[in-house]
Amino acid sequence: MSTHTLTIALGERSYPICIGSGLLDQLTQLAPLPKASAALIVTNTTVQPLYAARLQAALQGQYAQVQLVVLPDGEEHKNWQTLQSIFDTLLKHGADRKTVLFALGGGVVGDMTGFAAACYMRGVPFVQVPTTLLSQVDSSVGGKTGINHPLGKNMIGAFYQPRLVACDLDTLDTLPARELSAGLAEVIKYGPIADMALFDWLEQNIDALVARDKTALAHAVRRSCEIKADVVAKDERESDLRAILNFGHTFGHAIEAGMGYGVWLHGEGVAAGMVMAAELSQRLGLVDAAFALRLRSLVQRAGLPVKGALLDAQDNAGRYLELMQLDKKSQAGSIRFVLIDGPGKAVVREAPEALVREVIDLCCA
């Protein structure tokens, strides 16, 4: 399979996204990497035995020292304590401001590595090597980095762009089925907000994606990255347009925080959140029932939950509203949702609390 390269156009911070097979072994040939004497690979306990040695071998021809730090796996470890272990390793080995960090793993590894790179000596270069579908189609692209707080997901972080994103499709071969489905949630979201042709294609090819057909996966990753690259180039710091990429996330983040990080995968929360957001869009008269049903069906076919979690038996809607107040899109205490303003078009707006409560009561188990 040939390598496909596209570029995020951010002026002097522009960088390539490379998509193909076998990229781990040819990373130094994909694009000019930052020149330095040392590199640090950040990975986790699941990915390390699968791919760390290959990446180390690929980098040793360019860097005199290639160190490794292995983080615990899971969203529940996306916190200050785990972040500190990256800084400990950098300082222990005398890393300078030219040391290059390589994020080898999924969204948690990528977000934390990017945040560490943004903070260490006020900024060192880093490269994204995403190994999950979710990170390849979403979290590795666009420069959002950060950690979770017990009261809110991704509330502490920085916008900090990588120098390269290398999506090796072969790493998806070892991805557990549940993680693959979680990644499909972030692929599905691009259809309703930006590209109904992609949505139509997903309806026709979702079974092939679940079966890990490499040609189908390559198209899904490429088109997802193209859409996100276009949005990020127009609104890097999410002052306006970029917020549409959070379709399903306001409800989804509340599920993750309310259940406890790691109980639901991020993509699972987003999946149920998209169904809830589509239901809210329908109740506001923005889409018809047929479209909401199409989205629900596609989410279900991807092996994802279509009902949100019960967070509080006494006042479930109240608990959701409390958590959604902490959403980054909220302004002056008002919760703002990414809604579908007709298929293929998103809008960010408030909604009457009574309607939101109705949706939560209807859509939560």
Side-chain angles (χ1 to χ4, degrees), residues 272-325:
M274 287 191 294
V275 173
M276 296 167 78
E279 179 67 28
L280 183 57
S281 300
Q282 179 190 340
R283 287 170 180 254
L284 288 166
L286 302 177
V287 295
D288 59 21
F291 176 79
L293 185 61
R294 281 181 70 188
L295 177 60
R296 180 188 179 93
S297 176
L298 182 58
V299 167
Q300 198 163 32
R301 289 176 61 199
L304 290 159
V306 294
K307 292 185 75 68
L310 182 66
L311 303 182
D312 187 327
Q314 302 300 317
D315 184 12
N316 191 48
R319 179 60 176 147
Y320 267 91
L321 290 166
E322 178 185 359
L323 289 166
M324 291 190 294
Q325 289 280 356

Side-chain angles (χ1 to χ4, degrees), residues 151-153 155 246 248-258 269 273 276-277 280 311 316-339 351-353 355-361 364:
L151 296 179
K153 183 178 171 67
M155 296 301 288
N246 291 313
H249 288 59
T250 302
F251 289 109
H253 284 172
I255 294 171
E256 288 184 85
M276 296 167 78
L280 183 57
L311 303 182
N316 191 48
R319 179 60 176 147
Y320 267 91
L321 290 166
E322 178 185 359
L323 289 166
M324 291 190 294
Q325 289 280 356
L326 296 169
D327 186 85
K328 295 187 293 298
K329 295 183 298 302
S330 295
Q331 293 181 358
S334 297
I335 304 169
R336 301 167 76 236
F337 298 89
V338 180
L339 302 172
E353 182 178 314
L355 275 186
V356 177
R357 283 181 172 271
E358 286 181 15
V359 168
I360 294 168
D361 289 340
C364 292

Side-chain angles (χ1 to χ4, degrees), residues 24-295:
L24 272 179
D25 303 312
Q26 49 182 305
L27 200 67
T28 59
Q29 304 167 36
L30 296 178
L33 295 178
K35 296 184 182 300
S37 60
L40 175 68
I41 298 172
V42 182
T43 188
N44 65 29
T45 52
T46 299
V47 177
Q48 184 267 330
L50 296 171
Y51 301 116
R54 284 176 57 189
L55 183 57
Q56 279 184 300
L59 297 178
Q60 281 171 346
Q62 178 153 341
Y63 301 101
Q65 298 180 42
V66 182
Q67 305 293 339
L68 181 71
V69 60
V70 182
L71 309 180
D73 190 10
E75 187 81 27
E76 64 271 29
H77 300 293
K78 189 178 172 183
N79 54 33
W80 278 116
Q81 182 178 359
T82 307
L83 182 70
Q84 190 73 14
S85 66
I86 302 176
F87 296 136
D88 290 345
T89 304
L90 288 166
L91 291 164
K92 177 182 176 181
H93 293 283
D96 60 27
R97 60 170 31 108
K98 289 189 175 181
T99 299
V100 186
L101 275 59
F102 289 82
L104 176 67
V108 172
V109 168
D111 282 5
M112 295 190 69
T113 304
F115 191 30
C119 296
Y120 188 71
M121 292 194 171
R122 298 182 177 86
V124 297
F126 87 108
V127 171
Q128 289 273 20
V129 189
T131 61
T132 67
L133 182 59
L134 189 147
S135 58
Q136 290 186 2
V137 302
D138 184 66
S139 62
S140 69
V141 177
K144 276 190 178 181
T145 72
I147 58 174
N148 297 331
H149 187 279
L151 296 179
K153 183 178 171 67
N154 292 331
M155 296 301 288
I156 302 165
F159 287 99
Y160 194 70
Q161 301 295 342
R163 300 295 184 87
L164 164 70
V165 178
C167 301
D168 190 336
L169 299 174
D170 292 344
T171 61
L172 303 182
D173 293 341
T174 55
L175 198 62
R178 186 184 174 195
E179 292 274 2
L180 184 78
S181 289
L184 289 173
E186 293 284 7
V187 179
I188 291 170
K189 80 172 183 188
Y190 289 112
I193 66 171
D195 186 0
M196 283 304 293
L198 172 62
F199 192 83
D200 295 340
W201 180 88
L202 286 169
E203 288 182 314
Q204 297 166 15
N205 292 274
I206 193 66
D207 295 337
L209 290 167
V210 171
R212 302 172 199 254
D213 178 85
K214 200 61 67 74
T215 301
L217 285 169
H219 178 76
V221 174
R222 181 171 65 250
R223 185 63 190 129
S224 298
C225 288
E226 286 172 348
I227 295 170
K228 184 158 188 180
D230 180 63
V231 171
V232 171
K234 294 174 181 175
D235 181 19
E236 180 182 3
R237 293 181 175 268
E238 201 172 302
S239 59
D240 184 20
L241 176 65
R242 186 169 176 173
I244 70 170
L245 298 174
N246 291 313
F247 176 54
H249 288 59
T250 302
F251 289 109
H253 284 172
I255 294 171
E256 288 184 85
M259 293 292 287
Y261 296 122
V263 177
W264 279 42
L265 297 177
H266 174 64
E268 293 170 336
V270 169
M274 287 191 294
V275 173
M276 296 167 78
E279 179 67 28
L280 183 57
S281 300
Q282 179 190 340
R283 287 170 180 254
L284 288 166
L286 302 177
V287 295
D288 59 21
F291 176 79
L293 185 61
R294 281 181 70 188
L295 177 60

